[in-house]
Amino acid sequence: MGPWLTPVLSFVGGLLGAGIPAWVALRGQRQAARSEWRERFDRALENLTSAEPPKRRIGEELLADLIDSDLGSEADRDLARRIGRLSLSVDERQFAVDVDSGAPASDNGRDHIVEDS
């Protein structure tokens, strides 16, 4: 054995001894972050499906924050984007107005009399 082999092996052993627990800790933090993201996502869905308009607006805001959040994975954020698009399409259908094409034109719901000059 060379004179440098023992110090090099000790250094490598020290790196492994410190690196493995650090990697495990980072993984645990990532899992905790995803759990937090999921709890917020569940809360956003609960509010989005509420019958109360203020709660739905809060759900929309929560969902928008989750889309930009780095707590979840890219797949998590993609799911939030898809739910957001669905909620927008539901809102559009809910507030769609039926138009009677046979009715006279009006800009405020009242018939206007146009006088000839």
Side-chain angles (χ1 to χ4, degrees), residues 5 9-10 13 19 33 45 48-49 58 71 74 76 95 100 113-114:
L5 187 59
L9 289 177
S10 295
L45 285 180
L48 273 174
T49 57
I58 290 170
L71 292 176
E74 185 57 37
D76 294 335
F95 296 110
D100 181 4
I113 299 173
V114 178

Side-chain angles (χ1 to χ4, degrees), residues 77-112:
R77 290 188 296 275
D78 185 49
L79 174 64
R81 280 189 282 277
R82 289 193 320 258
I83 297 293
R85 282 192 295 270
L86 284 173
S87 80
L88 287 175
S89 67
V90 167
D91 284 348
E92 287 172 2
R93 283 185 300 213
Q94 183 178 7
F95 296 110
V97 178
D98 291 330
V99 176
D100 181 4
S101 60
S106 153
D107 64 345
N108 65 0
R110 295 187 213 158
D111 291 331
H112 295 282

Side-chain angles (χ1 to χ4, degrees), residues 21-104:
W23 178 75
V24 169
L26 285 174
R27 240 185 105 152
Q29 287 176 347
R30 185 70 184 150
Q31 281 302 110
R34 285 194 73 199
S35 293
E36 176 68 24
W37 189 93
R38 190 63 188 195
E39 287 177 25
R40 292 178 186 185
F41 181 70
D42 291 342
R43 200 169 321 126
L45 285 180
E46 183 180 319
N47 285 337
L48 273 174
T49 57
S50 172
E52 302 172 38
K55 278 192 171 186
R56 281 197 307 271
R57 277 188 241 110
I58 290 170
E60 290 167 358
E61 288 297 320
L62 285 172
L63 197 61
D65 284 345
L66 289 172
I67 290 170
D68 294 332
S69 171
D70 62 352
L71 292 176
S73 68
E74 185 57 37
D76 294 335
R77 290 188 296 275
D78 185 49
L79 174 64
R81 280 189 282 277
R82 289 193 320 258
I83 297 293
R85 282 192 295 270
L86 284 173
S87 80
L88 287 175
S89 67
V90 167
D91 284 348
E92 287 172 2
R93 283 185 300 213
Q94 183 178 7
F95 296 110
V97 178
D98 291 330
V99 176
D100 181 4
S101 60

